[in-house]
Amino acid sequence: MTLKSLLIATLIAMAAVTPPSSAATVNATGKVTNNVIFGSGNSNAAFTGVTVGGLELALRAKLRYNGSSACGGFGCAQNTFNYTGGNTYTFISALSHAPVNRSIFNFEWSINSNTNGSGAALNSLVYSIGVDTDPTFGVASQITYNPLSALSTGYYLGTNASGNGGAAFSVGGTGNLGALNLAQNSVNLGFLPGAKLGSGQFRISLSAFNATTHALVASTAINVIVDAPAPIPLPAGLPLLGTAIGGLTVFRRRKTK
C-alpha cells in the first residue's frame, strides 16, 4: 500500500468512528441546563458539552485545592476552571496544596435527558464515563464506568426546576432514575483506583448509548493538562472508542464537595 492510499484509508477509518456529536462550549454559553445542582456555591460556567435532541452531556474540570492551607490543612475548593473555550482545562500544581492521595483538580459531569420537554427520564439511555488515568502522553490507561450505576462514585439527582445546590447526594444505584432527568457529580481522580495524580495530560469522556441497540447517541470529551504543555490532540472520535457500556470498574463510593 502506498503512503497516499494508507493516508486515505486512515482518514476514512477516522470518519467512520467519529461520534454523532463533538466537544464544544455547551449551549454556546458554557452553562448547563438548568443549573449546577450539587453543592451550594458551585457556579454554572465553563462546561464543554453537546446537545442532541433533548439530551445534554457536559464536562468540565476545576481547581479542587488552591494554594492556601485554610481548609483542613489543605487548599480550598475553587470555581477556577482555566478554560480555553475549546475542550481543554489547565492547572499548575505549584499553585495548589492537595493531600498526597488527591489530584489538584476535579472533573465534573452533567447529564440532562430532557432539555426539550420530551419527558425522557435518565434511565432512557445508558451512560459511560471514560478516564485516562495515566497522564503520560501516548500511554493508554483507561477506567470506564457507568456514572449512574451501583459501581459509580454516586451522584446528585434533580429536574430542570432544581436550583443551585438544590440536590442531595445519592449513593450509586439509588434514586428514581425513571422520574428524574438531571444528574451531576464532581469527581477527584483520587477516588479512582490506580489513577496517577501527577503532571501531564488526562482525557475524560462522557457518552450516552441507546439502551436496546447500544448505538452511540452522543459523546463529549475534555483534556485536562497539569503543568505540562498540551501534545497534539488525537482525532475527536478515537479516544471515545474505549467508553463501552461494559467493563465497569468498582469504585470507592465517596461524597464529593
Side-chain angles (χ1 to χ4, degrees):
M1 180 180 289
T2 66
L3 179 60
K4 181 178 179 181
S5 60
L6 178 61
L7 177 60
I8 292 173
T10 301
L11 292 174
I12 292 173
M14 286 167 54
V17 300
T18 300
S21 52
S22 58
T25 301
V26 70
N27 298 318
T29 63
K31 296 182 178 181
V32 294
T33 311
N34 171 59
N35 219 318
V36 175
I37 63 175
F38 61 86
S40 60
N42 286 299
S43 64
N44 190 359
F47 279 97
T48 294
V50 294
T51 302
V52 177
L55 171 67
E56 177 186 278
L57 303 178
L59 291 166
R60 71 180 178 186
K62 76 175 183 183
L63 184 64
R64 174 59 184 88
Y65 300 95
N66 66 10
S68 76
S69 300
C71 297
F74 297 100
C76 303
Q78 302 289 298
N79 282 308
T80 302
F81 308 108
N82 297 335
Y83 179 44
T84 65
N87 66 343
T88 302
Y89 302 76
T90 59
F91 305 99
I92 300 174
S93 57
L95 302 180
S96 176
H97 184 45
V100 293
N101 60 341
R102 292 289 181 269
S103 171
I104 67 173
F105 71 91
N106 276 25
F107 71 87
E108 300 183 336
W109 57 266
S110 177
I111 299 170
N112 191 326
S113 59
N114 181 29
T115 63
N116 62 356
S118 66
L122 286 165
N123 66 355
S124 62
L125 296 167
V126 177
Y127 309 95
S128 177
I129 287 178
V131 182
D132 178 0
T133 58
D134 189 324
T136 307
F137 181 61
V139 176
S141 179
Q142 179 148 297
I143 287 177
T144 303
Y145 69 101
N146 182 338
L148 300 185
S149 74
L151 303 180
S152 75
T153 57
Y155 36 75
Y156 295 77
L157 298 175
T159 69
N160 291 337
S162 300
N164 178 250
F169 179 79
S170 297
V171 174
T174 65
N176 192 348
L177 303 181
L180 302 172
N181 67 280
L182 181 60
Q184 298 173 348
N185 200 8
S186 180
V187 181
N188 192 277
L189 290 188
F191 298 169
L192 310 182
K196 295 185 178 180
L197 309 179
S199 300
Q201 177 170 317
F202 300 85
R203 180 81 171 178
I204 301 163
S205 64
L206 172 61
S207 305
F209 300 86
N210 182 287
T212 302
T213 67
H214 298 174
L216 180 65
V217 175
S219 58
T220 189
I222 61 173
N223 295 311
V224 182
I225 299 169
V226 179
D227 300 327
I232 298 173
L234 295 174
L238 297 182
L240 300 174
L241 293 178
T243 55
I245 295 174
L248 301 178
T249 303
V250 178
F251 294 105
R252 293 166 285 170
R253 297 173 183 156
R254 294 179 181 267
K255 182 172 179 179
T256 57
K257 295 183 178 179

